[in-house]
Each structure stands twice: as structure tokens, then as C-alpha cells.
Amino acid sequence: MKIPVLEIFGPTIQGEGMVIGRKTMFVRTAGCDYSCSWCDSKFTWDGSEKDSIQMLEPAEIFDSLKEVGGNKFGHVTISGGNPGLLKQIDSLVDLLHQHQIEVALETQGSRWQNWFTKIDDLTLSPKPPSSGMKTNFTTLDYIIERLHKEQDGHFSLKVVIFDQEDLTYAEQIHERYPSVTLFLQVGNDNLEANENESLLSDLLEKYEKLIDRVMENKLLKDVRVLPQLHTYLWGNKRGV
Ligand SMILES: C[S@@+](CC[C@H](N)C(=O)[O-])C[C@H]1O[C@@H](n2cnc3c(N)ncnc32)[C@H](O)[C@@H]1O
Ligand SMILES: Nc1nc2[nH]cc(C(=O)O)c2c(=O)[nH]1
Ligand code: SF4
Ligand SMILES: [Mg+2]
């Protein structure tokens, strides 16, 4: 069963969340059921790169990972778009595991797939109000319940923060799922910037402000505050 792929790149460091800093390859699938106002990967769903989508069998993705990353990696992150839309990723996960490669997933938690239980590092990133999206909590509850019961690996929540309303949303998430590790991530609202110096100082300031606000917050006690590390190093560059 073929998988729609837009990018295969790495090895690079995982710039976000629960395995930040980890050496990993990326497979970026095409298509998303959301359309976040600030999405940094709009090309996966806005039609602008529909002619570049490759329909690949899991074995072809594995070959391509080897071609790009040689034998320098032991971890692959599947992101998108929303890879959670694709039932056929199941056999890619199995194939990677057969080769002793660990697998991470980035998804917003809007759809369940049975193969989620096999993911080693699963990030659920529900979207705060600034995105313009609305969380279906029935679905998110279901996903988190099934992961608690059936997942072999680890999972966490990651909420991107742009403003005070987003922080209130993060409080609700933390209160609803107190036992799930929660990461708060600095939002990048400067997606057009190609001058890294000013983007960096801007993002550093945002990181510091977010830290200040979270430190003062009485409801957000057991949380981790992180930058989107790859943007601090390489700005809005693709494929890193
Ligand atoms: C591009 S998304 C793809 C995976 C999945 N659709 C999701 O949203 O979780 C990967 C991660 O990047 C985050 N992200 C997207 N745009 C961002 C931005 N402008 N600033 C900070 N994080 C962003 C998302 O919230 C998500 O956690
Ligand atoms: N280095 C790096 N880390 C990332 N973490 C999540 C990413 C994503 O776009 O899903 C991403 C990405 O595109 N690059
Ligand atoms: S859910 Fe993820 S890929 Fe989809 S629009 Fe939002 S940030 Fe972008
Ligand atoms: Mg990204």
C-alpha cells in the first residue's frame, strides 16, 4: 500500500518535544485534515506542491531513507501533514522495526490508527485557539485512553503557544490529562523570515517570555517549556 510522501531528510536533530536533540531521519507525508493559520508545513496540504507528492511503498521509503541517511541513523520520525490519516503506515513501522530502527510520530490527535500502539515516541499536538482549529475532545480522550492501555512505547502532549488564550488552552489540556507529560512550545509567527539573525533574537525573546509566563502560572506546574530548536539553528529552512 503506497504512502504519499513529500520529503525524506536527515539525519538531523529532532528539534521539538519529548525526544528533542535526538538524531533522527524525517519522513513527511502529504495531506492534513486541519489547516492551522500558522502551520509551518502548509505545503503538505495547501496544494502548492501536489505535483511533488511521491506515492511510495514502505520498502521504497526505506530505500530512500538509506540513500539519504546512509547507515548513520537508528531513529525515524514520521511527520506531515497528518500521518495519522494513513492506515498504510502500519507496514512502514513494522519494516523499520525489523531493521532495529525506532519510530517517532508527530500528529495532532484528530484520528486514531491501530499502528499508534507500536510507535516508540508518539507526540500528540492538539491545537490551541490561535490556530483557528477546534479540538474534538471525544477523539482525543479516546486516543489517550487507548495509548495508556496498549502502547508499548512512550507518548506525550505538545501544545504550541502564541498568546494568553493558548496558555489557557494548555491549562485545560494539563488538567484533563494530568498523567501525560506536557510540552509547551514557542510558536513561530515569522514563517516568511529568511534572515536568521533577527528571527533568532525574536524567537529567543519569545522563549523567554513564555518561560516567564509559565513560571508564574499556578496551574501549569508539571510542564516542560521548549523552543522549536531547529528554527533557532536554521531558521525557516526546509529539510533540516
Ligand atoms: C507541521 S506539524 C505536522 C504534524 C501534525 N500535523 C501536528 O500538527 O502535530 C509538526 C509540529 O509542528 C508544530 N508547528 C507547526 N507550525 C508551527 C509554528 N508556526 N510554530 C511552532 N510550531 C509549529 C505543530 O504544532 C506540530 O507540533
Ligand atoms: N529538525 C526538525 N525537527 C522537527 N520536529 C518536528 C518537525 C516537524 O516538522 O514535524 C521537525 C522538523 O521539520 N525538523
Ligand atoms: S495539524 Fe499540523 S500539519 Fe496540519 S495544519 Fe496544523 S500544524 Fe500543519
Ligand atoms: Mg516542522
Side-chain angles (χ1 to χ4, degrees), residues 190-208:
N190 207 344
L191 298 170
E192 303 302 319
N194 41 30
E195 211 269 277
N196 288 357
E197 301 264 292
S198 61
L199 177 64
L200 176 61
S201 61
D202 186 57
L203 286 171
L204 277 172
E205 194 180 310
K206 288 197 166 72
Y207 186 29
E208 192 175 3

Side-chain angles (χ1 to χ4, degrees), residues 6-67:
L6 261 174
E7 291 183 320
I8 291 175
F9 62 90
T12 182
I13 52 147
Q14 166 57 269
E16 306 180 16
M18 66 194 291
V19 289
I20 192 165
R22 176 136 194 203
K23 184 178 187 180
T24 191
M25 296 291 292
F26 279 87
V27 175
R28 193 182 299 286
T29 61
C32 193
D33 47 330
Y34 279 14
S35 51
C36 301
S37 59
W38 39 253
C39 178
D40 63 9
S41 305
K42 282 200 168 97
F43 59 91
T44 61
W45 53 266
D46 68 1
S48 59
E49 297 191 15
K50 65 174 192 308
D51 296 337
S52 308
I53 299 170
Q54 294 194 73
M55 297 301 297
L56 301 176
E57 292 289 345
E60 295 175 304
I61 294 176
F62 185 64
D63 288 346
S64 182
L65 281 163
K66 284 279 183 203
E67 213 174 285

